[in-house]
Amino acid sequence: MADKKVIAVVGATGAQGGGLVRAIMQDPNSEFTARAITRDANSDKAKALADLGAEVVEADVNNVESLKKAFQGAYGAYCVTFFWEHFSPGKEKQHAKNMAEAAKAAGVKHVIWSTLDDTRKWVPLSDDRMPTLMEKYKVPHFDAKGEANAYFTDLDLPVTLYHTAFYWENFIYFGQGPKKGPDGKIILALPMGDAKLPAIASEDIGKCAYSIFKRGEEFIGKTIGIAGEQLTGSEMAASLTKALGQEVTYNAIEPETYRNFGFPGAEDMGNMYQFKRDFEEDYCNSRDVDLARSLNPSLKTFDAWLAENKDRIPLE
Ligand SMILES: NC(=O)c1ccc[n+]([C@@H]2O[C@H](COP(=O)([O-])OP(=O)(O)OC[C@H]3O[C@@H](n4cnc5c(N)ncnc54)[C@H](OP(=O)(O)O)[C@@H]3O)[C@@H](O)[C@H]2O)c1
């Protein structure tokens, strides 16, 4: 244990970081051990990671000094931000900057930055096919992460820019899943047209990240992206129909309809889906299922994910 290399994991009690901590700690032959970063070492989730043997340390991404301490002596750092906690691209960029500075100060040898595309490279602010949001963004929770890549690369950090994909867990926790209408029929309504949506079981993001740390040199300085599968709305509806044993119909609504749903973040999400729909080829090409499977041979397909999770999808 003492001579194992430490991977400091931000967001360790969450989906991405949690998957990484579990992947490391559940591999008895690992050359690595995990340092789980949390704001509260006494939470049940933090204790569960300690039970796996992970070191648990407290830090807050708002506080660069706390991050410097948390990254001290680590070989690697997994860096992720939490847009949906605050809905602020400005905060997200500051948090990324803090993590990059802390990684530099600690002399970390491999950083994985969990990023997303800056959609303004495809849809400049002057392009009115989708509305500009918060004055400076098209898809705020994507653009801020993409813009923040520069904090890592400008410091010449040994970084892997890691493009993640839509979690299928969004069908459980994030209100994106199929819903029963007043007539009892189940509809999967997404503004994706006939385009494929690259997506993944969230636990697989951490499993792939573990492999990226193991394969080290091969991925330092690289931009990569992963997905578990790339399926159209109709294909997902067919899988849901099989898994749930009830007919699920895909309804390709318009992004504008989605933007007007009125829940917090609806405009951001509506633009996000439109970006994925309208730039399907580039977006799908940047999320490589074969690469993900080579990193993590147990990568789940949507059907495999549904076999384990179908009863957790709230249809009402
Ligand atoms: N949902 C999707 O489909 C999807 C797809 C791709 C990318 N993403 C991105 O994934 C990111 C979120 O990652 P996730 O899903 O792994 O997160 P998550 O499951 O929501 O977990 C977030 C964890 O972050 C920690 N945290 C929150 N605020 C913190 C702070 N100020 N300082 C330190 N830790 C803090 C919390 O831990 P403690 O309470 O223990 O401190 C929490 O357990 C978002 O930026 C989102 O845009 C999401």
Side-chain angles (χ1 to χ4, degrees), residues 34 55 196 218:
E55 178 191 3
K196 289 178 187 296
E218 201 182 322

Side-chain angles (χ1 to χ4, degrees), residues 10-18 37-41 43 45-46 59-63 67 78 80-86 92 95 114-116 141-142 145 163-170 174 200 202 205 272 276 283 287:
V10 177
T13 58
Q16 296 187 27
I37 299 173
T38 172
R39 290 165 301 175
D40 177 8
S43 72
K45 285 181 174 176
D60 190 312
V61 292
N62 288 295
N63 180 337
L67 288 170
Y78 187 79
V80 55
T81 43
F82 315 105
F83 183 85
W84 304 108
E85 298 252 326
H86 46 66
E92 190 159 39
H95 295 160
S114 175
T115 188
L116 291 169
H141 79 284
F142 269 54
K145 290 184 183 70
H163 286 85
T164 61
F166 182 93
Y167 313 164
W168 287 313
E169 281 75 7
N170 293 339
F174 214 63
I200 193 162
S202 63
I205 296 174
M272 174 196 79
K276 292 179 183 180
Y283 190 73
R287 269 62 181 179

Side-chain angles (χ1 to χ4, degrees), residues 97-120:
K97 187 167 187 280
N98 290 347
M99 288 187 279
E101 283 178 16
K104 188 74 183 177
V108 168
K109 303 284 188 293
H110 189 175
V111 179
I112 297 180
W113 160 231
S114 175
T115 188
L116 291 169
D117 317 69
D118 186 339
T119 66
R120 296 165 297 184

Side-chain angles (χ1 to χ4, degrees), residues 19 31-32 46 52-53 64-65 94 104 115 119 124 145 148 189 200 209 214 217 234 250 260 280 284-285 311:
E31 68 190 290
F32 298 113
L52 293 176
V64 69
E65 294 308 318
Q94 184 62 52
K104 188 74 183 177
T115 188
T119 66
K145 290 184 183 70
I200 193 162
K214 283 201 285 191
E217 284 300 321
S234 301
Y250 173 53
N260 288 320
E280 177 190 13
C284 285
N285 285 343
D311 297 332

Side-chain angles (χ1 to χ4, degrees), residues 4-309:
K4 289 196 177 199
K5 295 192 267 187
V6 172
I7 306 289
V9 182
V10 177
T13 58
Q16 296 187 27
L20 174 57
V21 173
R22 284 183 285 278
I24 296 171
M25 299 314 298
Q26 288 168 352
D27 176 358
N29 300 316
S30 183
E31 68 190 290
F32 298 113
T33 186
R35 182 181 292 162
I37 299 173
T38 172
R39 290 165 301 175
D40 177 8
N42 292 312
S43 72
D44 290 344
K45 285 181 174 176
K47 285 183 185 154
L49 299 176
D51 287 345
L52 293 176
E55 178 191 3
V56 176
V57 305
E58 290 189 352
D60 190 312
V61 292
N62 288 295
N63 180 337
V64 69
E65 294 308 318
S66 74
L67 288 170
K68 284 181 188 169
K69 273 194 212 134
F71 287 177
Q72 198 57 50
Y75 163 85
Y78 187 79
C79 298
V80 55
T81 43
F82 315 105
F83 183 85
W84 304 108
E85 298 252 326
H86 46 66
F87 295 82
S88 162
K91 279 193 185 166
E92 190 159 39
K93 286 189 283 185
Q94 184 62 52
H95 295 160
K97 187 167 187 280
N98 290 347
M99 288 187 279
E101 283 178 16
K104 188 74 183 177
V108 168
K109 303 284 188 293
H110 189 175
V111 179
I112 297 180
W113 160 231
S114 175
T115 188
L116 291 169
D117 317 69
D118 186 339
T119 66
R120 296 165 297 184
K121 291 182 188 154
W122 287 263
V123 193
L125 296 185
S126 57
D127 187 330
D128 59 9
R129 88 186 86 175
M130 60 173 77
T132 292
L133 304 176
M134 301 178 188
E135 293 172 8
K136 289 194 284 201
Y137 305 97
K138 289 297 186 183
V139 183
H141 79 284
F142 269 54
D143 300 347
K145 290 184 183 70
E147 199 180 317
N149 293 349
Y151 296 128
F152 294 87
T153 53
D154 287 355
L155 288 175
D156 283 329
L157 281 164
V159 66
T160 303
L161 301 177
Y162 187 42
H163 286 85
T164 61
F166 182 93
Y167 313 164
W168 287 313
E169 281 75 7
N170 293 339
F171 288 172
I172 302 173
Y173 306 115
F174 214 63
Q176 309 291 293
K179 289 275 170 296
K180 207 171 260 178
D183 57 1
K185 292 193 174 139
I186 306 173
I187 305 289
L188 177 66
L190 292 174
M192 285 296 296
D194 294 327
K196 289 178 187 296
L197 177 66
I200 193 162
S202 63
E203 192 76 5
D204 281 332
I205 296 174
K207 288 185 180 174
C208 290
Y210 174 39
S211 192
I212 294 167
F213 279 122
K214 283 201 285 191
R215 286 164 63 175
E217 284 300 321
E218 201 182 322
F219 291 109
I220 290 173
K222 299 272 162 55
T223 298
I224 62 165
I226 55 159
E229 222 173 355
Q230 304 187 348
L231 299 172
T232 62
S234 301
E235 288 168 337
M236 286 189 279
S239 285
L240 285 159
T241 299
K242 237 185 332 170
L244 298 173
Q246 302 178 69
E247 186 69 26
V248 178
T249 308
Y250 173 53
N251 180 9
I253 56 175
E254 284 305 315
E256 186 57 12
T257 309
Y258 198 95
R259 284 190 279 271
N260 288 320
F261 277 163
F263 63 82
E267 289 179 300
D268 188 333
M269 297 284 289
N271 281 6
M272 174 196 79
Y273 282 120
Q274 185 175 346
F275 168 70
K276 292 179 183 180
R277 183 194 71 177
D278 293 356
F279 300 93
E280 177 190 13
E281 193 179 344
D282 283 358
Y283 190 73
C284 285
N285 285 343
S286 68
R287 269 62 181 179
D288 186 339
V289 176
D290 292 336
L291 171 67
R293 184 153 290 110
S294 87
L295 292 166
N296 165 27
S298 69
L299 186 78
K300 286 200 172 69
T301 60
F302 187 44
D303 287 340
W305 180 86
L306 278 173
E308 288 176 9
N309 293 285

